[in-house]
Amino acid sequence: MTKKLIILCLATTFLAVGCVAFPEDGGYYNGGYDNRYDRRYDRDYDNRYDQERNRQRWEYQQRQNRIELERKKRELERRQWEQNRQKQSDWERKKREQQHQLEQRKRSAEKNRNTQSDWDRKKRELERQRSEQLRKKANTQNGQKMQQQRKSQART
């Protein structure tokens, strides 16, 4: 029985030590095997971690790009709205100015017509007064001539 126990202990020791480090792996120093150790076994874990970080970084960048694009779009829309508002106010201002100028022209034309009609009326009135004065003068002169003729006829 002791023989069995010793063989079992040796087999267990050999198998346990053999599974951990094979002679061709070299020594285990500073937390790892030497350069002959195959690192592909860890790589999948690191790649999964790196891929996850890369995906997160990409998603973050996409979010930032989308936010920046939306901000630029809002800024562009705001500028366009501002320009349209400015154009509208300019258009309304020009329209008011045109209406004001039109009203001034109408007033000026009305004033000119009134002034012209006043001048024409005054001119006609003066002409009428002159013609009346001339007629009165002619009548008085005719009356005087007639009186002189009557006197001269009465004398003769």
Side-chain angles (χ1 to χ4, degrees):
M1 173 96 176
T2 50
K3 278 185 180 181
K4 285 185 182 181
L5 189 57
I6 293 176
I7 292 175
L8 183 62
C9 284
L10 285 176
T12 305
T13 304
F14 178 72
L15 286 175
V17 172
C19 290
V20 173
F22 291 104
E24 67 267 7
D25 285 342
Y28 185 79
Y29 302 104
N30 294 329
Y33 292 101
D34 63 359
N35 57 2
R36 290 179 290 168
Y37 176 70
D38 189 4
R39 297 192 182 278
R40 286 181 292 177
Y41 295 115
D42 296 350
R43 194 172 298 150
D44 287 340
Y45 176 75
D46 289 341
N47 282 345
R48 280 193 304 261
Y49 177 73
D50 289 343
Q51 287 172 357
E52 181 67 22
R53 284 192 47 85
N54 286 341
R55 185 182 61 77
Q56 289 174 351
R57 209 175 299 131
W58 181 80
E59 287 174 352
Y60 175 77
Q61 189 63 39
Q62 293 300 316
R63 275 194 309 272
Q64 294 300 321
N65 290 344
R66 189 175 61 249
I67 290 170
E68 182 66 20
L69 187 63
E70 289 173 357
R71 186 190 65 76
K72 287 180 180 179
K73 185 178 177 183
R74 282 192 308 270
E75 180 67 22
L76 180 64
E77 288 173 351
R78 186 191 64 76
R79 267 191 254 127
Q80 287 176 343
W81 181 82
E82 190 69 30
Q83 287 174 350
N84 289 339
R85 188 182 65 77
Q86 184 68 29
K87 286 179 183 177
Q88 181 72 19
S89 66
D90 288 346
W91 181 79
E92 289 173 355
R93 182 181 48 79
K94 286 179 183 178
K95 187 176 178 182
R96 282 193 307 268
E97 287 176 1
Q98 287 176 350
Q99 287 176 346
H100 181 68
Q101 288 175 355
L102 182 62
E103 289 173 4
Q104 282 182 340
R105 286 184 195 140
K106 284 181 181 179
R107 276 186 258 143
S108 175
E110 183 69 26
K111 186 177 177 181
N112 287 342
R113 276 195 302 271
N114 289 340
T115 305
Q116 186 65 35
S117 65
D118 287 346
W119 278 104
D120 289 343
R121 188 172 39 81
K122 286 180 182 179
K123 190 176 180 182
R124 282 192 305 269
E125 184 67 27
L126 286 174
E127 286 295 322
R128 188 183 61 78
Q129 286 176 358
R130 278 190 201 136
S131 64
E132 276 185 30
Q133 287 175 356
L134 287 175
R135 199 175 336 120
K136 283 181 184 179
K137 192 175 185 182
N139 283 341
T140 55
Q141 285 178 358
N142 282 339
Q144 288 175 358
K145 282 182 186 180
M146 293 285 257
Q147 285 178 2
Q148 286 176 0
Q149 284 177 359
R150 284 185 205 155
K151 285 183 185 181
S152 56
Q153 282 178 0
R155 286 190 200 165
T156 43

